[in-house]
Amino acid sequence: MTQLLNQINMTKADIVAKISEKLGLEKGDVQATVESFMDEVKTSLETGDNVYLRGFGSFIIKTRAEKTGRNISKNTTIKIPAHNIPAFKPAKIFVEGVKTNNEAK
């Protein structure tokens, strides 16, 4: 439990503030840029296109196969149809940076 309390989370507002401070741009302009980026990634994935960002990672579409599940309240089996889900696959350099800069807790 204490591990979760020590964890620092970053929000979109925090990202906007950091970029604004680093580049000396207005927060409103940075926010519009970040939101536009997110919209473009979302739109690309919705239309079936993957997004590849060299050195960062890839936003991809994964296909989940059809499977059989259980409705435990009715004690019946149900078929879960095949479906697509969005996923993020970090680049090797990204993963290595996280591994070397963060100790396992």
Side-chain angles (χ1 to χ4, degrees), residues 1 10 13 19 25 28 35 38 49 61 64 69 73 79 91 93 100-101 104:
M1 182 71 172
M10 190 170 223
I19 293 172
L25 300 171
E35 287 179 2
M38 292 187 315
D49 299 328
I61 300 167
R64 297 288 169 121
S73 63
K79 279 204 186 275
I93 193 165
T100 58
N101 293 326

Side-chain angles (χ1 to χ4, degrees), residues 41-84:
V41 169
K42 182 180 167 213
T43 301
S44 293
L45 292 175
E46 287 174 346
T47 59
D49 299 328
N50 293 332
V51 178
Y52 302 101
L53 302 172
R54 185 164 296 195
F56 185 73
S58 303
F59 294 93
I60 59 175
I61 300 167
K62 285 189 172 183
T63 301
R64 297 288 169 121
E66 181 181 286
K67 64 182 179 179
T68 303
R70 292 202 56 81
N71 181 343
I72 56 174
S73 63
K74 294 181 181 176
N75 197 24
T76 59
T77 60
I78 57 172
K79 279 204 186 275
I80 301 169
H83 58 282
N84 294 327

Side-chain angles (χ1 to χ4, degrees), residues 87-102:
F88 177 73
K89 182 178 179 189
K92 282 184 183 181
I93 193 165
F94 186 146
V95 172
E96 289 302 319
V98 171
K99 280 183 184 178
T100 58
N101 293 326
N102 290 304

